[in-house]
Amino acid sequence: MQEAGTELAEKSEKQAGSIAALRLPFGDWQDAASRGLIVVVAIALAWYTWGRWGDLQVDCGRELYVPTEILRGKLIYRDIFYPYGPLAPYAGALLIAIFGPHLVVFYLFGIAVAIGCALLLFEIGAMLEGRAVGLTAALALLFAGFGSGFANYVFPYSYAATIGMALSLICALFTLRHLFGRRGYNLLLAGLAASLTALCKQEFGAACYLMLAFVLVMEAARGRSIRPLLHGIAACAPGVALWVAIYGWFFWTLTPAYMVDANWIGMPGTYSARTYGAHLYYLSWDAVPRQMLLLILSAVLAPRLWFLLAKASRGPRNIALAIIVAIAVVCRFGFLVWAARAVAELLVFPEGMFFIGCGFVTYSTYELIRKGERRRLAEAAVGIVALVPALRVFEGVTPYGYGIYFAMPLFLVFAVAISRCIKVATPALSVDQQRGLVNYLLAAEIVMLALICIPQTSERLATLETSWGAIRLKPEEANVARQILAFMSERKREGRQVAVLPEAPILYALAGTEAPSRWYTLLPGILSPAQEDVYVADLNRAAPDYILVTSRKTREYGADYFGIDYDQKIYHWIESNYRVAGQFGRFRRDETGSTLDALLYEKEEHGHGDRSR
């Protein structure tokens, strides 16, 4: 009886997958309604969180400063430090050139990218498993993508990450169209999308090319012919030629060592990766076995819990879901936070999702080899394009922080796994009944995600008016930023230069000034010991009249404070050539105030010049 039920579930799954694969774009009103819902939710979230995106210190300022420097005639990598591909900063420069330096321009661009990513996830999910799965993944991205601080899609830590993810999803979509026999130049377009992805964010580009290579090799192996492989290589060749030509020019002009050591500092083997990689990638090497065990346990428990929910009778299932949703609701008011976190990590957005993805790819590949089903090749392809970027956060897969940039395609795989678990748990139900149960449980998943992920807006109550437009901040942070920007603008009118360390390049952009070196940010690992000497030489040459040292704590790198835990040589040079002339806010190295609180250093020869209050 159990075997017959399993066969029935597999048959219904195959039928549903075949129907999903044959769907035409905009083929019925339900698809159009789902796309409309995605756009409406994005607009509602944008209105609800308007202006609360971004961070005045962490990363985001680079997304304004680097494009403005490009428009001043500087060459990326040579004249400006930049750790990713060149596409995003030049796109930002184009936006500024056309529309002017306005935050709203970047906000609208980021919202458009978020909507594009959500729609692409919907299309891919609907092709693989059905409309409900695609809609769940799309809404999950939106709920997580409109947070405050640096972790959002509107004004993110890096537009290279959001654009790169969008392009990788385009590559995956055209690859699926090719596998499902849709008309068009799908492989050629997938190859071009992969090329642009590689020019945006390296790990997303690697994911696209690994996926394409897997697909082409498996197609050739299944057909026992080399012709599909040669045809695929020819289709992808124009895209490869594009990124090879662009990167080749930079590497030839600036040398490979300069490109990697002075820019792509996160690459394996660089000083930053060797020194701070364990902290940045959430790994404590002494605890790796324990970490892996916990993640694998999470990966095993999460699908099992959804299986048990589906298998339970209606009453107990509804009671369990009511309790879980109630925990998420109470958490919104600041209570039972630990319980909500446990629910999120075990059921809603499991931390072991990376290993769920590994299992998904392994099983799909096994079924592909065993049965030769083309749909299994499509599933494995999506799993690969989801897994590779997720390596960046595989021990920190969460619906907030950096996880929202690297784990959302992986969440789509998880949503597919949920749907499959529900179907396997209910073999006696008809296809329509199974679809109804999948819709019901995924709706509960969406509700819980909304309660857990949609940010509170009560913290950022103060408005900071800048030359680029308004930003909503915490009152204490807005007050300090207002003073610093006024000071920098006044010194600019006097022809004096102000440097800001270790990290706040957005202040340069908002004040219309420039950093004294190609390095506009000093975080642990950006400068090797030899590059510290180069930076000191840049300071000697630029001789800024004032230097601001903020209380930014870089705990995520394992080195807390500039000048104390890293870059001591630079701080010693500042102490030797400048004197403390005041402070903005209440400068402390104990996290009791705003991380924007800063000491003001003034060159010794200025005597009793201007002072900060």
Side-chain angles (χ1 to χ4, degrees):
M1 186 69 181
Q2 180 65 31
E3 291 179 358
T6 303
E7 290 177 2
L8 177 63
E10 289 180 353
K11 183 178 179 181
S12 64
E13 178 184 323
K14 184 184 297 185
Q15 291 173 344
S18 301
I19 293 171
L22 294 173
R23 292 166 59 254
L24 294 175
F26 303 93
D28 56 57
W29 70 269
Q30 291 178 316
D31 284 350
S34 297
R35 296 184 186 98
L37 176 63
I38 290 168
V39 174
V40 168
V41 169
I43 293 172
L45 288 169
W47 170 81
Y48 175 68
T49 60
W50 185 264
R52 292 172 171 84
W53 313 294
D55 193 289
L56 287 187
Q57 284 200 300
V58 179
D59 292 333
C60 303
R62 173 187 56 217
E63 305 307 297
L64 302 184
Y65 180 71
V66 173
T68 58
E69 290 297 283
I70 290 173
L71 292 176
R72 288 189 174 109
K74 293 187 177 180
L75 178 66
I76 195 172
Y77 303 132
R78 183 191 66 193
D79 304 320
I80 322 164
F81 161 77
Y82 194 71
Y84 311 125
L87 181 59
Y90 279 95
L94 182 62
L95 288 175
I96 297 173
I98 295 174
F99 300 106
H102 302 294
L103 283 171
V104 171
V105 172
F106 283 83
Y107 290 165
L108 295 178
F109 175 72
I111 292 169
V113 172
I115 292 174
C117 289
L119 290 173
L120 288 164
L121 282 176
F122 169 75
E123 294 296 332
I124 295 171
M127 292 175 75
L128 287 182
E129 186 68 12
R131 188 181 300 110
V133 167
L135 188 59
T136 299
L139 294 180
L141 182 141
L142 294 178
F143 294 153
F146 281 83
S148 58
F150 71 90
N152 61 80
Y153 278 69
V154 185
F155 189 24
Y157 93 101
S158 171
Y159 283 108
T162 56
I163 300 172
M165 195 184 85
L167 290 168
S168 70
L169 292 175
I170 291 173
C171 178
L173 179 62
F174 280 115
T175 303
L176 291 191
R177 288 176 60 86
H178 163 73
L179 291 173
F180 288 143
R182 304 282 180 84
R183 292 181 179 179
Y185 300 99
N186 293 311
L187 269 185
L188 174 64
L189 294 173
L192 290 174
S195 175
L196 295 176
T197 306
L199 289 169
C200 208
K201 199 82 163 57
Q202 295 91 332
E203 55 265 51
F204 286 108
C208 289
Y209 279 107
L210 282 173
M211 176 191 67
L212 287 171
F214 178 81
V215 167
L216 297 180
V217 170
M218 293 305 295
E219 280 190 317
R222 288 178 63 246
R224 299 181 183 277
S225 170
I226 199 172
R227 289 185 63 185
L229 179 61
L230 296 178
H231 174 265
I233 291 173
C236 295
V240 173
L242 175 63
W243 69 260
V244 167
I246 293 174
Y247 277 134
W249 184 85
F250 279 112
F251 274 73
W252 177 266
T253 304
L254 304 177
T255 74
Y258 190 83
M259 283 290 294
V260 175
D261 294 334
N263 288 284
W264 293 356
I265 56 173
M267 298 289 284
T270 60
Y271 171 78
S272 177
R274 293 195 310 270
T275 310
Y276 300 102
H279 294 278
L280 289 176
Y281 290 88
Y282 303 96
L283 285 175
S284 173
W285 302 116
D286 294 335
V288 163
R290 179 177 57 85
Q291 288 176 320
M292 295 303 101
L293 181 61
L294 291 175
L295 291 176
I296 292 172
L297 181 62
S298 170
V300 171
L301 282 177
R304 183 66 180 172
L305 290 173
W306 284 105
F307 177 89
L308 293 175
L309 278 173
K311 199 170 184 64
S313 58
R314 180 178 299 178
R317 180 197 304 135
N318 290 340
I319 292 173
L321 288 176
I323 293 172
I324 295 169
V325 171
I327 290 173
V329 171
V330 173
C331 178
R332 293 287 294 181
F333 297 96
F335 303 101
L336 296 180
V337 176
W338 60 270
R341 181 175 179 180
V343 168
E345 292 180 357
L346 290 177
L347 185 70
V348 181
F349 209 96
E351 279 198 317
M353 202 183 295
F354 181 84
F355 290 99
I356 294 176
C358 291
F360 182 83
V361 172
T362 302
Y363 178 75
S364 298
T365 305
Y366 170 75
E367 288 294 300
L368 170 66
I369 295 172
R370 190 168 70 94
K371 297 181 180 180
E373 295 178 356
R374 201 167 178 82
R375 183 168 61 87
R376 297 299 187 183
L377 179 55
E379 293 171 0
V382 172
I384 290 171
V385 87
L387 278 175
V388 175
L391 278 168
R392 171 68 176 79
V393 292
F394 85 96
E395 201 278 326
V397 175
T398 59
Y400 43 82
Y402 291 106
I404 71 168
Y405 305 108
F406 301 100
M408 297 317 297
L410 192 59
F411 179 82
L412 170 61
V413 171
F414 175 59
V416 172
I418 291 176
S419 176
R420 302 279 171 84
C421 286
I422 295 170
K423 292 174 182 178
V424 171
T426 56
L429 298 182
S430 67
V431 173
D432 288 339
Q433 288 174 323
Q434 284 184 336
R435 186 183 300 113
L437 184 57
V438 168
N439 293 346
Y440 173 65
L441 291 179
L442 287 181
E445 166 81 357
I446 290 173
V447 170
M448 288 184 283
L449 277 169
L451 291 170
I452 292 169
C453 296
I454 295 178
Q456 304 280 5
T457 59
S458 56
E459 288 187 345
R460 294 194 166 200
L461 299 176
T463 300
L464 174 66
E465 296 290 345
T466 75
S467 60
W468 287 61
I471 310 175
R472 302 280 290 178
L473 301 169
K474 295 179 181 178
E476 62 275 14
E477 189 176 23
N479 185 48
V480 174
R482 195 175 294 114
Q483 294 177 32
I484 292 177
L485 286 173
F487 177 82
M488 293 178 69
S489 299
E490 181 63 29
R491 299 295 81 77
K492 179 187 175 183
R493 287 190 289 269
E494 296 173 355
R496 298 182 179 183
Q497 186 180 24
V498 181
V500 183
L501 302 176
E503 179 188 26
I506 195 171
L507 298 177
Y508 293 126
L510 298 180
T513 62
E514 295 183 78
S517 169
R518 66 180 294 276
W519 288 288
Y520 45 84
T521 291
L522 297 184
L523 292 175
I526 285 185
L527 298 181
S528 67
Q531 289 166 340
E532 280 194 67
D533 295 326
V534 177
Y535 189 85
V536 168
D538 289 342
L539 287 178
N540 266 316
R541 182 171 55 254
D545 300 279
Y546 300 92
I547 295 178
L548 289 175
V549 177
T550 70
S551 59
R552 161 88 157 101
K553 185 174 184 179
T554 51
R555 180 190 309 165
E556 65 271 27
Y557 291 84
D560 288 348
Y561 292 108
F562 166 74
I564 296 176
D565 302 296
Y566 68 97
D567 290 349
Q568 293 94 339
K569 191 181 300 183
I570 298 171
Y571 194 60
H572 176 72
W573 182 90
I574 295 172
E575 292 276 316
S576 301
N577 293 276
Y578 290 73
R579 63 187 182 83
V580 176
Q583 63 179 309
F584 294 93
R586 297 177 64 253
F587 181 86
R588 298 287 188 277
R589 288 193 174 100
D590 57 9
E591 296 186 289
T592 57
S594 167
T595 59
L596 203 59
D597 294 343
L599 283 180
L600 174 64
Y601 285 86
E602 182 183 35
K603 275 202 301 189
E604 290 286 357
E605 59 264 33
H606 281 169
H608 300 284
D610 296 307
R611 295 289 184 269
S612 162
R613 290 180 297 174

